[in-house]
Amino acid sequence: MLRRRLLDRLDLPTLFAALALASVGLMAIASATAEQPGRSGLWKTQLVWLAIASVSALVVMAIDYHIWAEFAFALHGVGIALLVAVLAFGKTVGGNKSWLDIGHIAFQPSEFVKWTTCLATAAFLAKRVTTRVRFVQAVQLVGIVGLPMMLIAKQPDMGTALTFVPIFVGALLMGGLQWRWVLGAAVVVGLFAPVGWSHLKPYQRERILLVVNPDLDPSGVGYQVRQSKIAVGSGRVTGKGLFKGTQNRLNFLPAQHTDFVLAVIAEELGFIGAAGVLALLYYLLYRGLVAARSSQDRLGTYLSLLVVCWFLGQSAINIGMVVGMMPTIGVPLPFVSYGGTALIAVMCGIALVANVRGHRFVN
Amino acid sequence: MDYRERWELKEYQSEQRLGRRAHLLHAAIIVVLAGFLGMFWYLQIVRGADYELLAENNRLRRIAMPPTRGVVFDRHDEVLASTRPALNLVLVREGLQDADGQLRRLESVLGIPYEGLKERLTAMHRRPTFEPLVIKEDVQLAEIAKVEARREWFPSVEVEETALRDYPDGTAIAHAVGYVGEVNESQLARVTDGSIQQGDIVGKSGIERQYDDVLRGRRGWKLVTVNSLGRPFGPSQPGRIPEDGAPLKLTIDKALQRTLVEALADEVGSGIFMDPNTGAVLALASTPGYDPNVFTAPVSRTTWMSLINDPRRPLNDRAISSFYAPGSTFKVLMTVAGLESGAITPSTTVDCGGSVVIYGRPFLCWKKGGHGVVDVHRALVQSCNVFYYLLGKKMGIDTITKYAKMFNIGEITGIDIPGETRGNPPSVEWKQKTRKEPWYPGDTISVSIGQGLLAVTPIQMATMISAVANGGSLVKPHLARDAAVDPVRLPVSAETLAIIHDALMDVVEEGTATKAQLGPIHVAGKTGTAQVFKKSAGIDADKLPKDEKDHAWFVGYAPAEKPEIAFAIVIEHGGHGGTTAAPVAKKVLETFFADRLPQKPSPEEKPSSQLQAHLAAHPEGSGAPPATAR
């Protein structure tokens, strides 16, 4: 009896789609690191991470999302405390102080905080009596999302900080911010863009300008984008075959197992592979929308929609970078890129969606 | 299920709004993903063939193009530092196959240790692959031929053109111009705008470091296409043209500089010659020196360690960073202070009996029997200690501090090369701050003859004597022609300076510095001996052979009537300034005045009134500002 209830509640299609994406990622990571000394076993590490992530996802699913929401702010507080801890005694990798060393495992709190941010924001929105976002609420939302974002920007991990923007925008729109405010905010942002531009570091400006004009490359950032586009384009329809991508194997591609993993897939599996990844992503996001629609209360709806916003935003930033439509920012592709904490975070995110879906029957 | 009741069910109104927004989100998802699908379609199907060609044939290789560093010229536009072409042997890391085999064969062909190369190759694994590993810098053609003859053994080894900094005068110019080297971590950390990158060559000391931004230029790069075998083919694509560094013109006179280094010979010490009217440094040397050319190619550890561990510290620029007690040369400043503060007049006399008891203890004059009755002129010429003990006692330390500060003694002069030190100014405040001790009256007496707590750098003394020479203006010493700053007029009367000036001429004429005489050109100067009370910082005195001798000083200027050159010289453990430092000055001055000196210098009569000559040398509006009568 209990087992049947559980099976009913497990949102299997969604979970399978997530695992399918992760499997594609495992293959791509194996291919990307095959030629790299000392990294050729990374796909096994990622497999272990996937197992850990799956168990974490089951834990998230096993507990009714209402209970998670009860503890949302406590969890979010823990996450923010961890971010402060990272700034205080984190480990610096590649110029970013983003990792905490726990024994032998490097843990990236910023990934975990994405998850708690969705939870806390959804809980906050659901608790309200109003159906519109009032000014005070908007300010509170800025606090919930902006505080961790600021701490992450200090690491300075601009890429991860940027992934909080879609969550914030999603919270405002789903929370029912009236359109006139949305328009007003857009106008204000438009007006202040030049000011923000002047605050950017030269290399950041360069990256943005490169999207507009890839030939303009004073410091070589364009080299990466260019190599990524060559990798993608040369894959053509069917790709060069797994483990046969020249761009990938000859190390022309930068960060080919993390940020540019989709370029490896596009090179070795071609347009079919790339379209497949996009299709799986679409299916996952669609399942999120379905869960939102079938949920019986605001909390479930908000929770699902926010996870969808998070995934959509992060995927768009990553894919945009791979095809040269976005500036080069280090953001992993959900489920696909190498990275333990990131994988756990997105698996727990999709687990929340499955959780909402599984509890759609009020009893 | 009570916890659920706290989360209300959806209401009709919010359901509607939320529903609309959810649909909107769905639309956004479709638009974004379809857009990306379109982009993949465009890249892989529309442009796929082009990109395939690029990937197939074009292995783009990025080659950094370092800028040419700016040339450094002396005052007569002779080259002090330039750049010469050289060849490096590099290992290309893109598409590297059989790295081990190639490195091992390199060891057998060229004798470059395999272990070291292997280590460096491993260390580079975090760097972009288009950066090659430099196997050996500045290789000779014979070595290249050895590699080329066995091309099939070395598919990834290539010859790269490079440029090396070249100092034609090597050791003679080392401390002024400095040397260059690969940027280190701490320097990289200070640059945030990306203008310096790993592997860039930057100035490490001297002018090279001070004006690095001017000289360095900006690196560029080009893309070279190579086929799948790693051979370059077709034209290279320009990436960014490197911007060469700007040239830099110095005030240094190469010939004078060479003479100074030769004159210092094997002594440990330093000398500065400058234009007393402008502060333009004509020669600046510190011995022992080093050859800056050894740093242009990567310094071998042994060379570096031998320079670092040499007890005589050749890398140290003694002219600006070593400080010594000024000894009797400080009496020049004491005289200014005494006359200007009114503690003495030109007619004040003291009877020197060889020693004097002050504060209940005897202070000795260097002359055992004493000098007898001396006035200011004689006291300075004869360097009578007793006169200055009493003068110091009368003035007190605060007055001495005031005038020392005025003439930049114990202060940074601001010369435009890095590493200048301050020394120890003669002041109560300084002693309190650094030694946490009060100032004792006896301290003042020691300082009065330039000993005790006082320590100055040669560049400070050169600046002080320049101020005396030019009629009372403080100049800022500088090496770059563009760094000249207007002198600052000091409140010192012409009468005071004339008295000092007359005495300093007599010092060379008949006093302690006769070895600096230059025939028709009159030299004015003051010798000094610094009691070795402590070694400069950073060296263990115990490791040095015990040297009993004091440090020798000689400061001065010439021609005495209308000074064109002023100098300060220190010979460590040189004994008396007149015997060791004065001849060094003479040799350099001979070079400077070569066209005005007869082949064989003959002694000449002294001008009748040096005072008039000196005043005539500084009329209004010529060089130095007019003297203000008090």
Side-chain angles (χ1 to χ4, degrees):
Chain A
M1 181 69 199
L2 186 72
R3 255 178 56 204
R4 263 217 47 194
R5 284 257 315 264
L6 253 179
L7 272 179
D8 269 350
R9 295 204 153 175
L10 275 178
D11 183 4
L12 287 174
T14 308
L15 297 180
F16 275 131
L19 287 174
L21 259 184
S23 311
V24 175
L26 275 173
M27 274 191 309
I29 292 163
S31 168
T33 54
E35 294 285 328
Q36 295 187 21
R39 283 191 180 166
S40 49
L42 272 189
W43 68 273
K44 293 178 201 158
T45 319
Q46 180 78 345
L47 191 58
V48 174
W49 281 118
L50 183 58
I52 298 171
S54 303
V55 172
S56 315
L58 286 174
V59 171
V60 171
M61 275 188 289
I63 299 166
D64 188 318
Y65 65 91
H66 295 89
I67 298 175
W68 283 114
E70 289 290 338
F71 293 102
F73 284 97
L75 287 166
H76 197 45
V78 170
I80 288 170
L82 284 173
L83 287 178
V84 174
V86 160
L87 285 177
F89 10 69
K91 184 173 77 164
T92 307
V93 178
N96 287 353
K97 206 171 180 182
S98 312
W99 278 265
L100 271 181
D101 263 339
I102 307 165
H104 292 290
I105 302 166
F107 175 76
Q108 222 179 330
S110 50
E111 292 292 340
F112 168 71
V113 175
K114 287 178 191 172
W115 187 80
T116 64
T117 304
C118 286
L119 201 59
T121 314
F124 171 78
L125 289 174
K127 280 269 194 206
R128 298 170 311 159
V129 229
T130 53
T131 60
R132 290 183 193 158
V133 177
R134 302 244 179 270
F135 179 73
V136 178
Q137 293 172 356
V139 172
Q140 286 165 310
L141 278 173
V142 168
I144 297 172
V145 185
L147 183 62
M149 190 171 157
M150 230 171 53
L151 288 168
I152 293 165
K154 272 197 111 72
Q155 290 179 355
D157 184 350
M158 287 302 166
T160 308
L162 195 66
T163 53
F164 281 74
V165 174
I167 302 177
F168 179 66
V169 173
L172 287 179
L173 286 178
M174 300 307 136
L177 185 67
Q178 285 160 298
W179 284 116
R180 54 177 177 212
W181 294 115
V182 177
L183 285 174
V187 169
V188 168
V189 168
L191 284 176
F192 276 96
V195 179
W197 177 257
S198 67
H199 276 281
L200 285 176
K201 294 201 166 67
Y203 74 90
Q204 292 170 323
R205 284 186 216 170
E206 222 168 75
R207 289 179 179 191
I208 293 169
L209 285 173
L210 273 172
V211 176
V212 186
N213 179 4
D215 303 328
L216 186 107
D217 184 18
S219 76
V221 184
Y223 174 86
Q224 299 185 352
V225 175
R226 191 194 155 90
Q227 293 301 349
S228 177
K229 280 165 96 171
I230 291 176
V232 171
S234 63
R236 304 193 74 176
V237 181
T238 53
K240 299 169 187 172
L242 265 182
F243 295 89
K244 295 205 178 73
T246 50
Q247 290 288 103
N248 167 21
R249 280 186 53 251
L250 295 178
N251 275 353
F252 282 116
L253 262 181
Q256 65 262 56
H257 61 294
T258 54
D259 302 345
F260 284 92
V261 70
L262 187 57
V264 174
I265 296 168
E267 182 183 20
E268 302 191 340
L269 302 176
F271 180 71
I272 293 169
V277 170
L278 289 176
L280 280 171
L281 270 174
Y282 172 73
Y283 184 71
L284 270 183
L285 296 171
Y286 172 73
R287 294 298 300 178
L289 292 169
V290 168
R293 210 171 308 146
S294 62
S295 169
Q296 291 303 306
D297 56 21
R298 292 167 82 191
L299 178 65
T301 310
Y302 284 134
L303 207 44
S304 312
L305 291 179
L306 283 171
V307 171
V308 168
C309 289
W310 162 24
F311 285 7
L312 175 67
Q314 194 172 320
S315 307
I317 293 170
N318 176 282
I319 303 171
M321 177 182 73
V322 167
V323 295
M325 289 162 77
M326 286 277 287
T328 315
I329 308 161
V331 172
L333 185 60
F335 302 100
V336 188
S337 287
Y338 175 82
T341 329
L343 188 63
I344 294 174
V346 290
M347 283 298 277
C348 290
I350 207 71
L352 281 178
V353 170
N355 193 329
V356 171
R357 178 77 183 152
H359 289 93
R360 65 189 181 278
F361 313 109
V362 183
N363 36 359
Chain B
M1 288 276 176
D2 58 327
Y3 59 84
R4 286 201 175 197
E5 286 156 22
R6 269 180 276 167
W7 304 93
E8 42 149 349
L9 295 185
K10 286 191 214 174
E11 286 168 16
Y12 172 71
Q13 236 210 330
S14 67
E15 168 76 277
Q16 269 207 321
R17 184 192 293 274
L18 244 179
R20 278 201 307 271
R21 297 273 164 109
H23 281 302
L24 202 73
L25 180 59
H26 195 174
I29 293 168
I30 291 171
V31 168
V32 169
L33 293 183
F36 285 138
L37 193 69
M39 192 68 190
F40 278 110
W41 175 272
Y42 171 74
L43 288 175
Q44 300 187 283
I45 292 167
V46 179
R47 301 272 320 274
D50 308 346
Y51 281 116
E52 190 169 35
L53 203 64
L54 278 174
E56 205 55 53
N57 285 331
N58 288 3
R59 308 274 183 265
L60 281 180
R61 228 171 241 179
R62 223 176 102 162
I63 294 181
M65 298 166 75
T68 305
R69 205 171 165 83
V71 179
V72 180
F73 295 102
D74 85 338
R75 70 183 308 117
H76 305 299
D77 292 334
E78 300 237 358
V79 174
L80 296 175
S82 64
T83 303
R84 69 175 169 88
L87 297 172
N88 287 350
L89 215 53
V90 299
L91 186 76
V92 175
R93 291 163 58 240
E94 285 174 336
L96 182 58
Q97 309 272 345
D98 185 29
D100 259 9
Q102 291 191 57
L103 294 183
R104 284 192 192 285
R105 289 193 288 271
L106 274 170
E107 181 170 35
S108 63
V109 173
L110 292 178
I112 305 165
Y114 161 84
E115 286 301 330
L117 284 178
K118 181 77 192 158
E119 239 170 71
R120 285 175 46 215
L121 185 64
T122 315
M124 277 188 86
H125 92 91
R126 285 193 173 279
R127 319 243 357 113
T129 46
F130 57 75
E131 283 184 23
L133 166 81
V134 177
I135 299 163
K136 189 172 182 184
E137 294 207 0
D138 202 14
V139 285
Q140 303 310 307
L141 285 170
E143 293 172 297
I144 293 170
K146 280 183 189 171
V147 172
E148 287 294 340
R150 302 168 183 76
R151 201 79 210 66
E152 69 284 0
W153 282 10
F154 303 111
S156 304
V157 175
E158 291 187 5
V159 176
E160 187 187 59
E161 282 176 37
T162 178
L164 289 182
R165 197 63 162 163
D166 185 38
Y167 303 96
D169 285 78
T171 314
I173 199 73
H175 288 102
V177 174
Y179 62 93
V180 294
E182 195 171 314
V183 65
N184 61 25
E185 293 292 325
S186 67
Q187 277 169 298
L188 267 176
R190 278 199 295 273
V191 180
T192 50
D193 60 358
S195 61
I196 301 181
Q197 289 167 20
Q198 184 109 28
D200 279 359
I201 299 296
V202 297
K204 294 282 189 181
S205 77
I207 284 291
E208 292 274 32
R209 176 155 185 175
Q210 182 86 14
Y211 295 102
D212 190 51
D213 290 347
V214 178
L215 294 165
R216 191 177 62 244
R218 196 154 167 255
R219 66 156 54 186
W221 49 266
K222 59 185 176 189
L223 287 174
V224 175
T225 45
V226 291
N227 65 15
S228 50
L229 297 171
R231 289 269 142 267
F233 74 91
S236 65
Q237 302 173 31
R240 186 178 71 196
I241 309 286
E243 291 168 33
D244 289 347
L248 187 69
K249 294 172 182 250
L250 301 189
T251 58
I252 294 278
D253 183 325
K254 197 162 160 174
L256 219 56
Q257 178 75 30
R258 272 205 211 119
T259 314
L260 174 57
V261 172
E262 281 162 21
L264 285 166
D266 294 336
E267 297 281 9
V268 175
S270 63
I272 296 137
F273 285 73
M274 63 195 221
D275 181 337
N277 306 303
T278 62
V281 175
L282 303 169
L284 183 150
S286 169
T287 52
Y290 60 92
D291 183 358
N293 287 306
V294 303
F295 292 99
T296 56
V299 190
S300 77
R301 217 183 141 65
T302 44
T303 313
W304 177 246
M305 290 320 273
S306 73
L307 282 169
I308 288 282
N309 294 329
D310 186 333
R312 301 190 309 165
R313 288 172 303 134
L315 291 175
N316 188 28
D317 185 352
R318 290 174 157 77
I320 60 165
S321 66
S322 290
F323 41 89
Y324 317 87
S328 299
T329 57
F330 191 66
K331 289 171 183 169
V332 175
L333 188 100
M334 287 292 292
T335 312
V336 173
L339 290 167
E340 288 293 310
S341 67
I344 49 171
T345 66
S347 54
T348 305
T349 57
V350 162
D351 187 359
C352 165
S355 74
V356 61
V357 177
I358 304 173
Y359 305 125
R361 61 177 256 233
F363 285 87
L364 301 179
C365 191
W366 62 269
K367 195 168 176 181
K368 274 231 165 68
H371 289 96
V373 177
V374 292
D375 63 354
V376 183
H377 180 88
R378 273 205 67 198
L380 190 52
V381 174
Q382 301 288 330
S383 208
C384 171
N385 288 354
V386 170
F387 184 94
Y388 286 97
Y389 290 143
L390 293 166
L391 172 57
K393 176 170 176 267
K394 187 168 180 185
M395 281 196 293
I397 186 63
D398 289 343
T399 306
I400 298 174
T401 306
K402 175 185 155 190
Y403 284 93
K405 214 183 177 92
M406 186 187 292
F407 281 84
N408 232 5
I409 299 297
E411 301 287 337
I412 296 284
T413 64
I415 187 168
D416 53 351
I417 40 179
E420 194 185 356
T421 57
R422 192 182 160 191
N424 311 337
S427 80
V428 181
E429 190 194 2
W430 175 84
K431 189 177 178 186
Q432 192 63 51
K433 212 159 69 182
T434 54
R435 302 208 177 182
K436 308 273 183 287
E437 285 177 18
W439 187 270
Y440 303 115
D443 293 340
T444 311
I445 310 304
S446 303
V447 164
S448 299
I449 60 159
Q451 308 290 1
L453 291 168
L454 174 59
V456 301
T457 59
I459 188 74
Q460 285 169 6
M461 288 314 268
T463 312
M464 183 215 69
I465 205 70
S466 292
V468 172
N470 67 23
S473 292
L474 194 65
V475 294
K476 183 176 174 181
H478 58 273
L479 275 78
R481 279 186 241 175
D482 292 344
V485 178
D486 284 339
V488 181
R489 189 82 185 89
L490 299 175
V492 179
S493 72
E495 291 81 356
T496 297
L497 289 175
I499 288 164
I500 291 170
H501 176 81
D502 274 359
L504 295 186
M505 279 187 73
D506 279 348
V507 168
V508 177
E509 208 60 45
E510 59 193 35
T512 51
T514 49
K515 288 196 174 181
Q517 284 175 10
L518 213 57
I521 307 280
H522 296 122
V523 180
K526 182 78 194 79
T527 58
T529 43
Q531 290 162 9
V532 181
F533 65 98
K534 73 183 259 264
K535 295 279 182 294
S536 302
I539 186 124
D540 187 353
D542 300 338
K543 284 186 185 162
L544 278 175
K546 183 79 187 109
D547 202 326
E548 297 292 321
K549 281 183 174 172
D550 293 338
H551 301 320
W553 275 96
F554 186 46
V555 303
Y557 50 89
E561 298 76 9
K562 194 177 188 313
E564 291 168 42
I565 187 163
F567 54 86
I569 292 162
V570 178
I571 308 288
E572 290 185 16
H573 305 297
H576 190 275
T579 25
T580 51
V584 172
K586 180 179 172 158
K587 279 184 192 150
V588 179
L589 293 176
E590 275 175 347
T591 305
F592 186 77
F593 293 114
D595 51 353
R596 285 179 251 176
L597 288 172
Q599 287 305 320
K600 285 204 170 175
S602 59
E604 214 191 85
E605 272 183 65
K606 243 171 67 177
S608 55
S609 166
Q610 294 147 0
L611 173 58
Q612 276 182 359
H614 184 75
L615 287 175
H618 302 288
E620 283 201 26
S622 79
T628 48
R630 286 175 59 231

